[in-house]
Amino acid sequence: MAAAERGMPGDAPEVRLDLLERRRVRRAGLILHESGHSMALDADRGEFVFLPALRPGLGLLSLSHDGRSVLLREHDASTSKTLCVMTLAEGEEQWFSAPRHEDYQHAVLSPDGTVIAVIATDDGVDTDVVFVSLIDVRTGEHRRIWQGEGAAPLSDVGVCWSPDGRLIAASYLYWDEELDDDDQFATVVIDRSGKALASRKRSYALNASNAAWAGDRELLCLDEFDDASNPRYVTIDAATGDVRFSEPYAGILEGVVAGRRIHRVAEYEAPSAQVSEYYTTDMDGQDRRPLFTLSPRLQPRLHIAPELFIL
């Protein structure tokens, strides 16, 4: 039975990396990416595989909502072709050029696949400016909708769409006067016009491509200044700006799908473990259920296609 119909089984299957074949998939329920290598859950066959290696200079940014394509970034500064939508089935590429002085760092396709949200830094001004733009996939039209003081982070943290495609969360770096530090995160929630609806300093949205939202208006973030062994996750209500705090719990929260949280066991929890253990809980951190393990132990980035990855 296809993964889209049954999700992952509940007996925590072990994914042995040395046994995985390397091939293309038509749709990926999720992708695990580390050090240039990508493992995908084939949504049609319900098995993990290694995806064909990307050519040097390309980096994987995100997985589309329907699991059919990925967004890639060109790291070669000499080319203007900066951003690419690549289909997983055929490897077909559609490239988008960044305007002059704009340095794209992270990008995610909208749930319907028609628009790309990009977070970038403007290198053509004297002050530090971070901004969010929308790119029309069909026409290539580029429209900047929001900007602020700061910088786009050099990481997989960046932008993410709400499940209904109406809102965008952007996490970026800013100068914190109180801490005298320019390496602090802030997160803003905007609509498609660029209107800011909610924001929070010293906090960043979860990393997974499409799994940082608990609902159409509820964004999950990590307050970065907390002790790593006792993390504090918060839920920002974009409609009201209210913030709810979670109870402290162990493990690394990777994302939320269909009302369940996806966790990975942290190194400090099991320092001698030989595998990476993934499990799910309800939104209160209860009802723990095994998901899968990776062998040998890795710390990959997780990208989820919620239309296919059903828990």
Side-chain angles (χ1 to χ4, degrees):
M1 187 180 296
E5 298 173 320
R6 63 172 171 80
M8 289 297 299
D11 56 353
E14 181 180 6
V15 180
R16 288 272 307 275
L17 302 187
D18 60 332
L19 300 180
L20 298 186
E21 64 174 313
R22 187 178 294 274
R23 61 174 172 82
R24 295 194 178 279
V25 301
R26 188 172 68 94
R27 304 178 304 166
L30 62 80
I31 289 178
L32 298 159
H33 183 75
E34 182 182 61
S35 302
H37 298 285
S38 298
M39 295 153 282
L41 172 62
D42 186 330
D44 296 306
R45 299 188 187 180
E47 61 187 20
F48 278 90
V49 299
F50 275 115
L51 296 177
L54 299 174
R55 65 171 173 79
L58 285 182
L60 190 150
L61 296 179
S62 58
L63 175 66
S64 66
H65 198 86
D66 63 5
R68 294 178 182 272
S69 58
V70 290
L71 272 173
L72 308 176
R73 176 173 178 257
E74 173 64 74
H75 294 289
D76 184 356
S78 66
T79 178
S80 62
K81 292 184 176 181
T82 309
L83 199 64
C84 173
V85 178
M86 185 183 76
T87 62
L88 292 176
E90 299 87 10
E92 293 180 350
E93 299 179 357
Q94 180 182 4
W95 283 93
F96 301 88
S97 300
R100 187 181 181 188
H101 300 308
E102 295 189 3
D103 185 10
Y104 292 165
Q105 292 300 331
H106 192 249
V108 177
L109 279 161
S110 60
D112 63 7
T114 63
V115 181
I116 303 171
V118 177
I119 188 168
T121 298
D122 191 336
D123 296 328
V125 296
D126 293 332
T127 58
D128 293 330
V129 174
V130 60
F131 62 91
V132 174
S133 292
L134 300 182
I135 302 173
D136 187 297
V137 172
R138 183 180 63 86
T139 66
E141 178 186 0
H142 178 283
R143 179 167 60 96
R144 186 181 298 192
I145 62 171
W146 176 89
Q147 71 178 43
E149 292 186 11
L154 299 174
S155 70
D156 288 336
V157 180
V159 287
C160 53
W161 291 86
S162 62
D164 62 4
R166 295 183 177 182
L167 303 180
I168 303 163
S171 296
Y172 61 97
L173 298 171
Y174 75 103
W175 177 268
D176 191 302
E177 295 288 350
E178 181 181 345
L179 298 179
D180 194 29
D181 187 358
D182 63 354
D183 195 26
Q184 295 294 314
F185 275 100
T187 296
V188 62
V189 178
I190 60 178
D191 62 19
R192 285 198 178 206
S193 72
K195 178 182 178 181
L197 304 177
S199 63
R200 183 169 178 81
K201 291 186 175 181
R202 304 180 193 172
S203 190
Y204 59 87
L206 299 184
N207 295 339
S209 303
N210 302 297
W213 294 78
D216 289 335
R217 299 295 177 270
E218 296 185 322
L219 175 70
L220 284 173
C221 292
L222 173 64
D223 279 5
E224 64 172 338
F225 55 84
D226 281 308
D227 184 350
S229 64
N230 189 27
R232 183 176 72 179
Y233 293 92
V234 300
T235 302
I236 300 174
D237 188 322
T240 64
D242 294 339
V243 175
R244 299 194 309 274
F245 298 90
S246 72
E247 292 297 322
Y249 53 83
I252 298 170
L253 180 58
E254 297 278 13
V256 176
V257 175
R260 290 192 65 82
R261 305 191 314 205
I262 299 175
H263 300 257
R264 173 166 55 87
V265 174
E267 285 195 32
Y268 67 83
E269 295 180 273
S272 61
Q274 301 300 304
V275 299
S276 295
E277 179 185 351
Y278 288 81
Y279 61 95
T280 71
T281 69
D282 61 24
M283 293 304 293
D284 295 322
Q286 306 300 313
D287 186 27
R288 177 167 171 164
R289 302 176 189 174
L291 190 58
F292 62 87
T293 62
L294 292 179
S295 176
R297 190 172 195 170
L298 297 174
Q299 299 182 55
R301 291 291 189 182
L302 180 66
H303 305 274
I304 296 174
E307 288 184 15
L308 304 178
F309 192 71
I310 302 172
L311 299 174

